[in-house]
Amino acid sequence: MAKKKRNSIRPKQFVRLRKQDGRYLYLAYYLDGKRKYEFLGKDFHLTGTKEIDTEILRRAEQLRQKRETEFQARQYTQLPEIRLNANFLQYFQALAASKDLKAWTNTGVHLKKYVPSGKLPFRALDVQWLKGFREYLVNNLSTSSAHTYFSCIKAALNQAIEEKIITVNPAIDVENVKRKDGKIDFLTPNEIRILAQTPCKSEVVKRAFLFSCFTGLRLSDVKQLTWSNIKEMTIEIVQQKTDELLRQPLPEQAT
């Protein structure tokens, strides 16, 4: 009985190991439509001794596999022109809407002011453009807001990398606006007691303000607070400004 042939399919190799004159090893592959060669140097010259050549071929194959991985990664990140021509402003607006955070919304507003045409392809987002937008933020906003809004741009570009729209974040080479530590004034316990005794047209506003004083919550977080956020005298809430979870004890004065 004739033996059946094995139906084995070797995986396609983009980078191939070759020999010249039966001794000199090199790698061959196509890159950007052109044939490329990489000679491996003296350490990979075959000697004619089986034991030595076996080791040389093993190391050469490891190098070939490494180049294969690099080659496939490069091929994978070749971006279609349609992606680079996509409108960053529209992308950012959709991202801001999904986050529903004031900082992102405000950043979108200033993007529209800075780019009145409403058209900004991803390919135009280079270091020079980013420095220009950062300068615009610094000249028109407080240092803290400029820092926050430029951070949103950086985060959006990182998201675009994850979605394979771009391969490198150009904002990596652009320094963010440096925050200045401003002076923060706090109300004294006596001042809070006076405010608690002071008449107010809206009792709800007054109670919300005092609750904020006792808990340290921002007004935006107080407004969205519900009974479900309070569990066993502990406040648990996702902060609207930072989108981070806050978990802290509920002070007795706030109950």
Side-chain angles (χ1 to χ4, degrees):
M1 183 181 291
K3 293 183 179 180
K4 293 183 179 180
K5 293 184 179 180
R6 292 183 180 179
N7 187 20
S8 60
I9 301 176
R10 294 180 62 185
K12 182 179 179 180
Q13 292 183 351
F14 294 96
V15 181
R16 297 180 181 275
L17 182 63
R18 294 284 187 256
K19 283 187 282 189
Q20 184 181 49
D21 298 332
R23 179 183 176 191
Y24 307 110
L25 298 180
Y26 66 94
L27 301 177
Y29 52 90
Y30 281 97
L31 186 63
D32 297 329
K34 297 181 179 180
R35 190 72 170 172
K36 300 287 185 179
Y37 303 98
E38 180 184 347
F39 284 87
L40 302 187
K42 295 180 179 178
D43 292 339
F44 291 90
H45 289 178
L46 298 178
T47 64
T49 303
K50 183 177 180 181
E51 292 77 8
I52 297 176
D53 289 351
T54 299
E55 176 60 20
I56 290 174
L57 288 170
R58 185 190 67 79
R59 290 190 291 109
E61 174 59 20
Q62 286 182 334
L63 183 58
R64 188 205 68 77
Q65 291 177 5
K66 180 182 178 182
R67 292 289 187 271
E68 178 90 13
T69 301
E70 293 171 352
F71 182 86
Q72 290 181 346
R74 188 182 189 281
Q75 291 292 98
Y76 181 66
T77 55
Q78 294 298 304
L79 300 175
E81 289 295 305
I82 190 171
R83 292 190 183 182
L84 293 177
N85 289 328
N87 193 341
F88 176 73
L89 264 64
Q90 292 180 351
Y91 175 82
F92 187 90
Q93 289 169 4
L95 200 57
S98 68
K99 291 182 177 295
D100 193 25
L101 295 172
K102 189 175 181 180
W104 283 75
T105 303
N106 289 346
T107 305
V109 170
H110 287 285
L111 271 174
K112 289 180 181 178
K113 289 182 179 179
Y114 189 69
V115 187
S117 66
K119 295 180 180 180
L120 179 64
F122 274 93
R123 64 169 63 255
L125 284 163
D126 54 16
V127 171
Q128 184 177 356
W129 187 94
L130 289 164
K131 285 183 176 179
F133 183 64
R134 183 190 62 184
E135 191 69 19
Y136 159 84
L137 294 175
V138 170
N139 292 335
N140 291 277
L141 300 167
S142 67
T143 302
S144 178
S145 294
H147 173 90
T148 300
Y149 298 168
F150 197 73
S151 296
C152 291
I153 297 295
K154 285 193 167 189
L157 290 172
N158 282 331
Q159 181 66 31
I161 289 176
E162 291 186 12
E163 296 178 15
K164 303 297 185 294
I165 298 175
I166 56 177
T167 55
V168 178
N169 187 343
I172 292 176
D173 298 320
V174 182
E175 186 179 4
N176 202 343
V177 180
K178 292 184 178 180
R179 279 179 169 169
K180 295 181 180 178
D181 295 330
K183 181 183 178 182
I184 301 176
D185 294 320
F186 298 93
L187 293 173
T188 66
N190 187 52
E191 288 173 331
I192 295 176
R193 279 193 293 269
I194 293 173
L195 286 171
Q197 296 170 5
T198 302
C200 180
K201 291 182 180 180
S202 174
E203 186 63 25
V204 173
V205 171
K206 180 179 177 180
R207 291 174 60 189
F209 175 78
L210 292 173
F211 187 86
S212 180
C213 290
F214 293 130
T215 61
L217 291 177
R218 300 182 184 90
L219 178 59
S220 58
D221 294 329
V222 173
K223 289 171 67 176
Q224 66 167 331
L225 200 66
T226 65
W227 285 111
S228 63
N229 297 117
I230 300 176
K231 303 173 182 177
E232 298 180 357
M233 297 301 291
T234 299
I235 300 174
E236 291 185 3
I237 187 171
V238 176
Q239 299 172 88
Q240 194 170 44
K241 183 176 181 179
T242 62
D243 200 26
E244 295 177 351
L245 176 65
L246 172 70
R247 183 182 290 109
Q248 68 178 38
L250 178 65
E252 186 178 348
Q253 302 95 314
T255 58

